[in-house]
Amino acid sequence: MKLANKLLRSVLWTSLAFGCAGIMVGLAYNRNVFLDSIRIRLDRELQTTGATIIRYYLYGDLIGLRSTLDALASVNDWCNGKFKDQNDEVIWIYRSEKSELCKSQFALFWGADQISDSIMVRRINNQAIGELSISVPVISESHLMYDLLISFFVPFLIFWILFLVVIKYSMKNLLIPLNAFAQQLKQYGAELNFQLSSDKSSDEIGQIKGMFEELRLRWHQSIEQVRQAEADIAVARISAQVAHDIRSPLTALNMIQDRLPGISVEQRDLLRSAIKRISDISDNLRDTEAKDKTESVDLIPLIQRAIAEKQIEWEQKRRSKITFRLLGAEKNVTVLGLGRDLERIISNLLNNSIEAVPLDRAPICEIVVSTERDYARIEIRDNGDGIPKEILNHLGQRGLTFGKPTGTGLGLWYALNRIYAWKGTVQISSQENVGTSIVFCLRRCFL
């Protein structure tokens, strides 16, 4: 387990750091304690030796004094010793023959090989007899190594015991439950058909974090899908109701369209075309499988009917001249699609083009039809106010509308979905205060 390895390494380095700190503290403590004990010993030996000197000096026995001092120096392992009288005449001097005792390879640590001190030897009446100085070795090598071993192993033993206790507790109370939880999440993730998301941390906690993040995203996606499905179901119910309720008015219109007096043949044809479109829309609302069908569609007559319908509709609404220009209609073009859907798409796009033109400007809408090998290209462009770039990038999303207070955001969304379903392409470009161009290509039919 990666987390376990990380924890082991962390505790290991921590224990090493504390162990080294313990060694330094132990060595410093041993050094100070030992040096203090040497100084106390040295002071005691100076006092004892000074009393001996006074006794021999009073009797004038210098030979006995020297012999006694040599014996004391040898027994007490002194390195050096000297006694001189008040006239600075050297009475006694000593140098140890045990040179290895007075030299140490750890002198840098202890600060010196030897510790020296001196006292002024005085009689009872405080008259000075002379000065005694001696030096003793700091420590023997065996004693030093013993102290070092103690200083090293005791801290390490303590911290390694602490290390084992922490690891045992962590494995029992943290890592094992975390690993079991991660395995359960992996099992649930496999059932939900998704993989662990990538995370900067690859240990168990990082994996769990990635899993929860992906579960959160999946949850939000599921909520959106449910909402969309509920909206689609509501639209389907309303569509079915509208298709049902519109039948009776359509029947009445079909009955009276040929009996209306005072209208021209052109207007009668336009009325008949409009009634047929309403009937097709009603049929399309009832036929839920129609969106998967395609047929051969005569493109130019379909566009001409849509233009004729919009000419009358919008000139009455705006009470101004609407200019439609159909370019490239010299030859017939047949495409794959669904006639009623394609006519509705072109009708909606023409509505958008006219609505984009301000009321103080005469609308000009151009429809350019051309062919490119296996595709027919239809471009609808206007002289409206154009669309800002920040809006243009999001056009086609369901419910998104721009510049129309009563817009639903369904017209362009429906057009894009139908064109893509027919294996076509769509491109929208716009320039503010110049106009908008929508180009869509459909597969040609060569039957």
mmCIF file of all heavy atoms in Angstrom, residues 395-417:
data_model
loop_
_atom_site.group_PDB
_atom_site.id
_atom_site.type_symbol
_atom_site.label_atom_id
_atom_site.label_comp_id
_atom_site.label_asym_id
_atom_site.label_seq_id
_atom_site.Cartn_x
_atom_site.Cartn_y
_atom_site.Cartn_z
ATOM 1 N N LEU A 395 -24.203 29.820 -29.467
ATOM 2 C CA LEU A 395 -25.438 29.646 -30.233
ATOM 3 C C LEU A 395 -25.677 28.172 -30.538
ATOM 4 O O LEU A 395 -24.742 27.414 -30.794
ATOM 5 C CB LEU A 395 -25.364 30.428 -31.548
ATOM 6 C CG LEU A 395 -25.657 31.935 -31.481
ATOM 7 C CD1 LEU A 395 -25.600 32.539 -32.871
ATOM 8 C CD2 LEU A 395 -27.007 32.205 -30.846
ATOM 9 N N GLY A 396 -26.927 27.787 -30.526
ATOM 10 C CA GLY A 396 -27.288 26.398 -30.805
ATOM 11 C C GLY A 396 -27.581 25.598 -29.558
ATOM 12 O O GLY A 396 -28.066 24.467 -29.653
ATOM 13 N N GLN A 397 -27.282 26.167 -28.380
ATOM 14 C CA GLN A 397 -27.640 25.479 -27.144
ATOM 15 C C GLN A 397 -29.142 25.587 -26.918
ATOM 16 O O GLN A 397 -29.755 26.617 -27.201
ATOM 17 C CB GLN A 397 -26.894 26.078 -25.955
ATOM 18 C CG GLN A 397 -25.398 25.895 -26.010
ATOM 19 C CD GLN A 397 -24.694 26.493 -24.796
ATOM 20 O OE1 GLN A 397 -25.350 26.984 -23.884
ATOM 21 N NE2 GLN A 397 -23.375 26.442 -24.808
ATOM 22 N N ARG A 398 -29.700 24.529 -26.415
ATOM 23 C CA ARG A 398 -31.143 24.517 -26.199
ATOM 24 C C ARG A 398 -31.546 25.587 -25.181
ATOM 25 O O ARG A 398 -30.990 25.668 -24.089
ATOM 26 C CB ARG A 398 -31.583 23.135 -25.709
ATOM 27 C CG ARG A 398 -33.086 22.982 -25.573
ATOM 28 C CD ARG A 398 -33.459 21.553 -25.293
ATOM 29 N NE ARG A 398 -34.900 21.376 -25.279
ATOM 30 C CZ ARG A 398 -35.505 20.194 -25.211
ATOM 31 N NH1 ARG A 398 -34.789 19.089 -25.171
ATOM 32 N NH2 ARG A 398 -36.811 20.110 -25.203
ATOM 33 N N GLY A 399 -32.522 26.400 -25.539
ATOM 34 C CA GLY A 399 -33.020 27.429 -24.646
ATOM 35 C C GLY A 399 -32.284 28.745 -24.740
ATOM 36 O O GLY A 399 -32.679 29.721 -24.110
ATOM 37 N N LEU A 400 -31.191 28.814 -25.534
ATOM 38 C CA LEU A 400 -30.429 30.053 -25.651
ATOM 39 C C LEU A 400 -31.004 30.902 -26.775
ATOM 40 O O LEU A 400 -31.111 30.448 -27.922
ATOM 41 C CB LEU A 400 -28.961 29.752 -25.925
ATOM 42 C CG LEU A 400 -28.050 30.977 -26.136
ATOM 43 C CD1 LEU A 400 -27.997 31.801 -24.858
ATOM 44 C CD2 LEU A 400 -26.659 30.563 -26.568
ATOM 45 N N THR A 401 -31.399 32.131 -26.464
ATOM 46 C CA THR A 401 -31.925 33.054 -27.465
ATOM 47 C C THR A 401 -31.222 34.388 -27.326
ATOM 48 O O THR A 401 -30.665 34.704 -26.265
ATOM 49 C CB THR A 401 -33.448 33.221 -27.311
ATOM 50 O OG1 THR A 401 -33.940 34.063 -28.364
ATOM 51 C CG2 THR A 401 -33.792 33.841 -25.967
ATOM 52 N N PHE A 402 -31.239 35.199 -28.402
ATOM 53 C CA PHE A 402 -30.554 36.490 -28.374
ATOM 54 C C PHE A 402 -31.328 37.486 -29.218
ATOM 55 O O PHE A 402 -31.677 37.207 -30.371
ATOM 56 C CB PHE A 402 -29.126 36.353 -28.924
ATOM 57 C CG PHE A 402 -28.441 37.681 -29.113
ATOM 58 C CD1 PHE A 402 -27.994 38.400 -28.016
ATOM 59 C CD2 PHE A 402 -28.270 38.221 -30.375
ATOM 60 C CE1 PHE A 402 -27.371 39.635 -28.186
ATOM 61 C CE2 PHE A 402 -27.647 39.443 -30.550
ATOM 62 C CZ PHE A 402 -27.194 40.162 -29.446
ATOM 63 N N GLY A 403 -31.612 38.650 -28.609
ATOM 64 C CA GLY A 403 -32.210 39.745 -29.349
ATOM 65 C C GLY A 403 -33.704 39.607 -29.594
ATOM 66 O O GLY A 403 -34.285 40.443 -30.288
ATOM 67 N N LYS A 404 -34.340 38.548 -29.044
ATOM 68 C CA LYS A 404 -35.786 38.364 -29.243
ATOM 69 C C LYS A 404 -36.438 38.203 -27.871
ATOM 70 O O LYS A 404 -36.241 37.179 -27.215
ATOM 71 C CB LYS A 404 -36.063 37.139 -30.113
ATOM 72 C CG LYS A 404 -35.513 37.262 -31.519
ATOM 73 C CD LYS A 404 -36.060 36.197 -32.443
ATOM 74 C CE LYS A 404 -35.635 34.817 -32.042
ATOM 75 N NZ LYS A 404 -36.131 33.791 -32.977
ATOM 76 N N PRO A 405 -37.215 39.191 -27.438
ATOM 77 C CA PRO A 405 -37.831 39.117 -26.099
ATOM 78 C C PRO A 405 -38.730 37.901 -25.919
ATOM 79 O O PRO A 405 -38.835 37.369 -24.819
ATOM 80 C CB PRO A 405 -38.635 40.427 -26.005
ATOM 81 C CG PRO A 405 -37.999 41.348 -27.001
ATOM 82 C CD PRO A 405 -37.508 40.471 -28.114
ATOM 83 N N THR A 406 -39.381 37.467 -26.997
ATOM 84 C CA THR A 406 -40.293 36.319 -26.897
ATOM 85 C C THR A 406 -39.676 35.036 -27.425
ATOM 86 O O THR A 406 -40.380 34.047 -27.644
ATOM 87 C CB THR A 406 -41.596 36.618 -27.670
ATOM 88 O OG1 THR A 406 -41.266 36.876 -29.053
ATOM 89 C CG2 THR A 406 -42.307 37.822 -27.065
ATOM 90 N N GLY A 407 -38.364 35.040 -27.672
ATOM 91 C CA GLY A 407 -37.714 33.851 -28.221
ATOM 92 C C GLY A 407 -37.663 32.702 -27.225
ATOM 93 O O GLY A 407 -37.581 32.911 -26.011
ATOM 94 N N THR A 408 -37.694 31.470 -27.725
ATOM 95 C CA THR A 408 -37.643 30.278 -26.869
ATOM 96 C C THR A 408 -36.301 29.572 -26.925
ATOM 97 O O THR A 408 -36.031 28.706 -26.097
ATOM 98 C CB THR A 408 -38.742 29.279 -27.296
ATOM 99 O OG1 THR A 408 -38.508 28.870 -28.657
ATOM 100 C CG2 THR A 408 -40.123 29.908 -27.175
ATOM 101 N N GLY A 409 -35.476 29.930 -27.927
ATOM 102 C CA GLY A 409 -34.187 29.256 -28.045
ATOM 103 C C GLY A 409 -34.286 27.861 -28.619
ATOM 104 O O GLY A 409 -33.337 27.073 -28.504
ATOM 105 N N LEU A 410 -35.424 27.522 -29.264
ATOM 106 C CA LEU A 410 -35.608 26.176 -29.808
ATOM 107 C C LEU A 410 -35.400 26.117 -31.321
ATOM 108 O O LEU A 410 -35.072 25.059 -31.856
ATOM 109 C CB LEU A 410 -37.018 25.659 -29.478
ATOM 110 C CG LEU A 410 -37.327 25.448 -27.999
ATOM 111 C CD1 LEU A 410 -38.773 24.997 -27.821
ATOM 112 C CD2 LEU A 410 -36.379 24.422 -27.400
ATOM 113 N N GLY A 411 -35.609 27.251 -32.037
ATOM 114 C CA GLY A 411 -35.543 27.228 -33.498
ATOM 115 C C GLY A 411 -34.186 26.799 -34.022
ATOM 116 O O GLY A 411 -34.085 25.842 -34.805
ATOM 117 N N LEU A 412 -33.117 27.512 -33.615
ATOM 118 C CA LEU A 412 -31.770 27.184 -34.097
ATOM 119 C C LEU A 412 -31.316 25.836 -33.545
ATOM 120 O O LEU A 412 -30.649 25.063 -34.241
ATOM 121 C CB LEU A 412 -30.797 28.292 -33.700
ATOM 122 C CG LEU A 412 -29.374 28.156 -34.236
ATOM 123 C CD1 LEU A 412 -29.361 28.074 -35.753
ATOM 124 C CD2 LEU A 412 -28.509 29.318 -33.757
ATOM 125 N N TRP A 413 -31.665 25.552 -32.287
ATOM 126 C CA TRP A 413 -31.306 24.248 -31.701
ATOM 127 C C TRP A 413 -31.922 23.108 -32.511
ATOM 128 O O TRP A 413 -31.259 22.114 -32.813
ATOM 129 C CB TRP A 413 -31.797 24.190 -30.262
ATOM 130 C CG TRP A 413 -31.680 22.829 -29.631
ATOM 131 C CD1 TRP A 413 -30.569 22.272 -29.096
ATOM 132 C CD2 TRP A 413 -32.720 21.851 -29.502
ATOM 133 N NE1 TRP A 413 -30.829 21.013 -28.631
ATOM 134 C CE2 TRP A 413 -32.157 20.727 -28.875
ATOM 135 C CE3 TRP A 413 -34.059 21.830 -29.867
ATOM 136 C CZ2 TRP A 413 -32.891 19.576 -28.603
ATOM 137 C CZ3 TRP A 413 -34.804 20.684 -29.591
ATOM 138 C CH2 TRP A 413 -34.213 19.577 -28.963
ATOM 139 N N TYR A 414 -33.193 23.258 -32.884
ATOM 140 C CA TYR A 414 -33.869 22.226 -33.684
ATOM 141 C C TYR A 414 -33.209 22.101 -35.055
ATOM 142 O O TYR A 414 -32.972 20.989 -35.550
ATOM 143 C CB TYR A 414 -35.343 22.594 -33.831
ATOM 144 C CG TYR A 414 -36.122 21.643 -34.691
ATOM 145 C CD1 TYR A 414 -36.574 20.426 -34.196
ATOM 146 C CD2 TYR A 414 -36.403 21.948 -36.027
ATOM 147 C CE1 TYR A 414 -37.291 19.541 -34.993
ATOM 148 C CE2 TYR A 414 -37.112 21.072 -36.829
ATOM 149 C CZ TYR A 414 -37.556 19.878 -36.306
ATOM 150 O OH TYR A 414 -38.254 18.998 -37.103
ATOM 151 N N ALA A 415 -32.871 23.249 -35.682
ATOM 152 C CA ALA A 415 -32.250 23.219 -37.007
ATOM 153 C C ALA A 415 -30.920 22.479 -36.979
ATOM 154 O O ALA A 415 -30.637 21.629 -37.835
ATOM 155 C CB ALA A 415 -32.060 24.654 -37.509
ATOM 156 N N LEU A 416 -30.077 22.789 -35.985
ATOM 157 C CA LEU A 416 -28.770 22.138 -35.896
ATOM 158 C C LEU A 416 -28.920 20.638 -35.683
ATOM 159 O O LEU A 416 -28.210 19.837 -36.323
ATOM 160 C CB LEU A 416 -27.956 22.752 -34.752
ATOM 161 C CG LEU A 416 -27.552 24.223 -34.915
ATOM 162 C CD1 LEU A 416 -26.791 24.698 -33.692
ATOM 163 C CD2 LEU A 416 -26.723 24.418 -36.166
ATOM 164 N N ASN A 417 -29.829 20.228 -34.805
ATOM 165 C CA ASN A 417 -30.011 18.802 -34.540
ATOM 166 C C ASN A 417 -30.486 18.049 -35.770
ATOM 167 O O ASN A 417 -30.017 16.946 -36.051
ATOM 168 C CB ASN A 417 -31.002 18.619 -33.381
ATOM 169 C CG ASN A 417 -30.338 18.740 -32.029
ATOM 170 O OD1 ASN A 417 -29.845 17.779 -31.463
ATOM 171 N ND2 ASN A 417 -30.298 19.961 -31.505
#
